[in-house]
Amino acid sequence: MMRTKIAGIGMYVPENVVTNDDLTKVMDTSDAWIQERTGIRERRFATRFEDTTATMGAEAARRAMERAGVTAADIDFIIFATLSPDYYFPGCGVLVQRQLGMGEIGALDIRNQCSGFIYGLSIADQFIKTGMYKNILLIGSETHSYALDFSTRGRNVSVIFGDGAGAVVLQPTDNPNQGILSTHLHSDGNDAESLSMPNPGFHGGKLWDKVKPAQPDQPYGGMFITQDLLDKDDLYPYMDGPAVFKKAVVKFPEVIREALTKNQLTAKDISLLIPHQANLRIAQFVQQELGLSAEQVHNNIQRYGNTTAASVPIALCEAWELGKVKEGDLVCLAAFGSGFTWGSALLRW
């Protein structure tokens, strides 16, 4: 059976560097407080009225395609992972298709938040292995800074996230010593609201009492964005940090071990682990739990923050550019996030 290989990889991060000290000017926080809890020193924020999730994704895609030696005409399918699309609908996939001047190919948008790139990789792998597509463009891109609460009230969430995009071109290979070995996807919606952005939404307050809106003064509609939500300024992400951390430190190593066991390998065989850049403390815990050395794990959350669906391809691209990923290396990708959803992918570079 054919395997799926990463033929080209690219990343894009905005020029605007926002340090922890910069954030102290708009909220009650400190560099020490942020670093102690997350490991983050700085992040990139999109340039207003210039950068969008789609435009950043397109730029990362251009770099990936150039490195893969393909043009827009060669791409036969797009998968776009994000939690921050340019529009509520349509999705960013068609916007990238338009920006890059591609033909009338399929464009699939997925909303698996931090796990989006891993989920997209697994989907693309199935299409490649069955022979349906030969050049799939997979993008993870996020613009968090446009919608976060940059006040003391929102600091627990807002200090964590950054903007950016990563992309890969996926192609078939018959080389038995190259390509994706396996992917593993999971979810557990029992605590879905622990990390969520419920408003604006179509839930009408039925699923979670904490976001039950006031009754609208009209016979129809009026439930998506209500005056009550605007008055309360209740349009920001919510995170129960301890609950997310507790779940992540269990599921992260678990899904990595699942991939290794499936392929009759051990943690010692991993050349490089690229974890989703959720929190440096989580990554350090996973490293210790699996008995990995510092050289076996690549973290860049210190400089980019958590870019959710973009974090894995950004970190993988950076590691490759630094020469930390070489032909024949065993690379493990893993992510955990909102949903909860989590997954891993094991591949031979």
Side-chain angles (χ1 to χ4, degrees):
M1 180 182 290
M2 300 292 286
R3 279 186 178 165
T4 304
K5 70 173 182 179
I6 294 177
I9 185 166
M11 60 176 277
Y12 173 85
V13 290
E15 296 180 356
N16 301 325
V17 177
V18 179
T19 67
N20 293 341
D21 287 335
D22 290 330
L23 293 181
T24 65
K25 299 171 185 176
V26 296
M27 64 178 70
D28 182 13
T29 189
S30 70
D31 175 64
W33 189 90
I34 297 171
Q35 287 207 50
E36 179 183 350
R37 287 159 177 79
T38 68
I40 300 168
R41 297 192 300 267
E42 61 187 40
R43 71 285 294 146
R44 302 294 183 96
F45 280 176
T47 300
R48 294 176 177 179
F49 310 111
E50 291 186 22
D51 292 321
T52 76
T53 299
T55 64
M56 291 191 296
E59 183 56 36
R62 289 186 184 98
R63 299 175 186 183
M65 291 190 297
E66 181 179 356
R67 287 168 171 170
V70 300
T71 68
D74 297 312
I75 301 298
D76 44 18
F77 195 69
I78 301 168
I79 301 175
F80 201 114
T82 189
L83 63 75
S84 52
D86 290 28
Y87 304 135
Y88 201 91
F89 67 85
C92 288
V94 297
L95 302 182
V96 166
Q97 180 265 345
R98 179 176 67 185
Q99 287 177 56
L100 298 181
M102 294 176 171
E104 296 179 348
I105 59 175
L108 174 67
D109 290 82
I110 58 175
R111 296 286 296 274
N112 291 90
Q113 294 67 250
C114 303
S115 304
F117 186 81
I118 304 294
Y119 267 71
L121 195 66
S122 184
I123 294 167
D125 187 35
Q126 314 313 310
F127 280 133
I128 293 286
K129 288 192 296 190
T130 60
M132 187 166 185
Y133 299 118
K134 298 189 184 310
N135 286 286
I136 296 180
L137 177 61
L138 169 60
I139 300 170
S141 183
E142 303 288 3
T143 312
H144 294 115
S145 64
Y146 290 175
L148 294 174
D149 180 4
F150 289 102
S151 70
T152 299
R153 179 187 67 171
R155 65 182 177 179
N156 289 348
V157 174
S158 299
V159 301
I160 296 172
F161 295 96
D163 305 336
V168 294
V169 173
L170 301 162
Q171 296 177 344
T173 178
D174 56 8
N175 183 346
N177 299 312
Q178 187 181 41
I180 296 173
L181 305 181
S182 63
T183 59
H184 308 269
L185 308 177
H186 298 278
S187 70
D188 179 1
N190 287 317
D191 296 303
E193 287 79 16
S194 294
L195 180 52
S196 61
M197 187 172 175
N199 297 318
F202 296 98
H203 52 79
K206 179 175 176 59
L207 303 179
W208 196 27
D209 289 340
K210 288 186 179 181
V211 293
K212 197 168 187 66
Q215 183 68 28
D217 186 22
Q218 59 189 75
Y220 310 111
M223 296 291 286
F224 184 64
I225 300 178
T226 68
Q227 190 60 49
D228 182 52
L229 290 177
L230 296 174
D231 292 341
K232 293 178 179 177
D233 202 19
D234 189 12
L235 296 166
Y236 296 112
Y238 169 81
M239 180 175 69
D240 181 343
V244 176
F245 189 95
K246 183 178 179 180
K247 189 86 168 182
V249 295
V250 172
K251 296 305 179 183
F252 244 125
E254 185 179 281
V255 78
I256 292 169
R257 288 193 177 103
E258 180 183 2
L260 292 169
T261 299
K262 171 70 175 179
N263 295 281
Q264 299 180 322
L265 297 165
T266 69
K268 293 181 181 179
D269 297 310
I270 295 176
S271 303
L272 194 66
L273 169 66
I274 304 288
H276 154 58
Q277 305 296 299
N279 184 306
L280 186 60
R281 308 306 165 217
I282 293 175
Q284 291 170 335
F285 181 91
V286 173
Q287 176 185 329
Q288 182 178 11
E289 180 74 10
L290 295 174
L292 300 173
S293 67
E295 291 71 31
Q296 287 177 285
V297 185
H298 183 71
N299 291 301
N300 64 3
I301 191 173
Q302 304 94 319
R303 288 174 289 107
Y304 298 124
N306 180 351
T307 55
T308 57
S311 76
V312 169
I314 287 175
L316 179 60
C317 182
E318 182 180 67
W320 177 80
E321 291 176 348
L322 292 171
K324 297 176 68 174
V325 180
K326 301 176 292 296
E327 186 175 346
D329 280 355
L330 183 70
V331 179
C332 184
L333 313 176
F336 175 90
S338 174
F340 293 119
T341 64
W342 63 97
S344 65
L346 200 61
L347 59 98
R348 188 73 66 178
W349 196 261

XYZ file of all heavy atoms in Angstrom, residues 9 16 34 39 41 43 45 58 109 115 120 127 169 190 236 241 264 278 283:
145
model
N 6.982 21.756 3.319
C 6.416 22.347 4.536
C 6.752 23.825 4.586
O 7.825 24.255 4.132
C 6.948 21.612 5.787
C 6.260 22.134 7.056
C 8.472 21.724 5.907
C 6.485 21.248 8.266
N 4.474 41.295 14.020
C 4.275 41.940 15.319
C 4.623 41.016 16.479
O 3.942 40.027 16.736
C 2.815 42.388 15.472
C 2.392 43.350 14.393
O 3.188 44.164 13.945
N 1.138 43.252 13.961
N 3.369 34.969 33.822
C 3.064 34.254 32.578
C 4.060 33.132 32.330
O 3.677 32.000 31.999
C 3.045 35.232 31.384
C 1.921 36.264 31.556
C 2.871 34.474 30.068
C 1.972 37.399 30.540
N 5.320 29.179 30.319
C 6.604 29.121 29.633
C 6.729 30.135 28.507
O 7.773 30.229 27.855
N 7.224 33.636 26.598
C 7.887 34.926 26.756
C 7.305 35.973 25.812
O 7.230 37.151 26.144
C 9.394 34.797 26.496
C 10.125 33.882 27.466
C 11.621 34.037 27.332
N 12.098 33.708 25.980
C 12.532 32.502 25.618
N 12.559 31.508 26.496
N 12.954 32.283 24.384
N 4.776 36.354 21.808
C 3.943 35.737 20.785
C 3.828 36.710 19.621
O 4.182 37.887 19.733
C 2.555 35.346 21.316
C 1.600 36.463 21.618
C 1.867 37.247 22.880
N 1.695 36.475 24.096
C 2.416 36.645 25.185
N 3.353 37.593 25.224
N 2.207 35.923 26.268
N 1.282 38.658 16.886
C -0.104 39.063 16.649
C -0.253 39.554 15.212
O 0.625 40.243 14.680
C -0.524 40.182 17.602
C -0.902 39.698 18.981
C -1.226 40.608 19.973
C -0.934 38.345 19.300
C -1.587 40.185 21.242
C -1.281 37.901 20.562
C -1.610 38.835 21.550
N -2.537 30.984 3.379
C -2.116 30.994 1.970
C -0.612 31.232 1.853
O 0.054 30.627 1.002
C -2.890 32.057 1.200
N -13.048 22.100 5.367
C -12.704 22.825 6.590
C -13.040 21.964 7.794
O -14.137 21.390 7.873
C -13.494 24.130 6.663
C -13.039 25.139 5.622
O -13.493 25.030 4.465
O -12.207 25.992 5.961
N -6.278 20.107 17.974
C -5.989 18.831 17.316
C -6.244 18.878 15.816
O -6.117 17.863 15.130
C -6.849 17.715 17.929
O -6.661 17.633 19.321
N -6.522 16.607 10.399
C -6.390 16.835 8.967
C -5.378 15.911 8.329
O -5.571 15.439 7.200
N -7.098 9.670 2.035
C -7.287 10.028 0.629
C -6.072 9.644 -0.226
O -6.218 9.161 -1.356
C -7.528 11.535 0.489
C -8.926 11.980 0.801
C -9.155 13.073 1.619
C -10.018 11.333 0.252
C -10.444 13.502 1.897
C -11.311 11.741 0.521
C -11.523 12.827 1.346
N 2.432 20.020 2.042
C 1.936 19.353 0.837
C 2.175 17.868 1.040
O 3.302 17.441 1.332
C 2.662 19.846 -0.423
C 2.241 19.013 -1.639
C 2.368 21.324 -0.664
N -17.523 14.941 27.280
C -18.151 15.092 28.591
C -17.820 16.424 29.257
O -18.612 16.936 30.052
C -17.741 13.930 29.506
C -18.419 12.627 29.109
O -19.613 12.612 28.815
N -17.672 11.544 29.075
N -16.315 35.959 24.756
C -14.908 35.571 24.776
C -14.751 34.096 25.119
O -15.649 33.472 25.685
C -14.148 36.417 25.798
C -14.106 37.884 25.469
C -14.785 38.811 26.266
C -13.395 38.351 24.367
C -14.739 40.162 25.968
C -13.345 39.708 24.070
C -14.023 40.600 24.868
O -13.979 41.936 24.568
N -8.550 26.128 33.316
C -7.156 25.722 33.158
C -6.781 24.434 33.867
O -6.198 23.525 33.253
N 5.153 -1.163 16.940
C 6.151 -1.981 17.637
C 7.449 -1.198 17.867
O 8.552 -1.696 17.624
C 6.424 -3.272 16.852
C 5.184 -4.147 16.689
C 5.464 -5.416 15.904
O 6.227 -5.415 14.939
N 4.847 -6.512 16.321
N 0.695 23.765 23.621
C -0.390 24.199 24.490
C 0.136 24.943 25.707
O -0.384 25.993 26.097
C -1.210 23.000 24.939
N 4.206 20.052 28.031
C 5.216 19.406 27.191
C 6.341 18.833 28.030
O 6.840 17.723 27.765
C 5.765 20.409 26.179
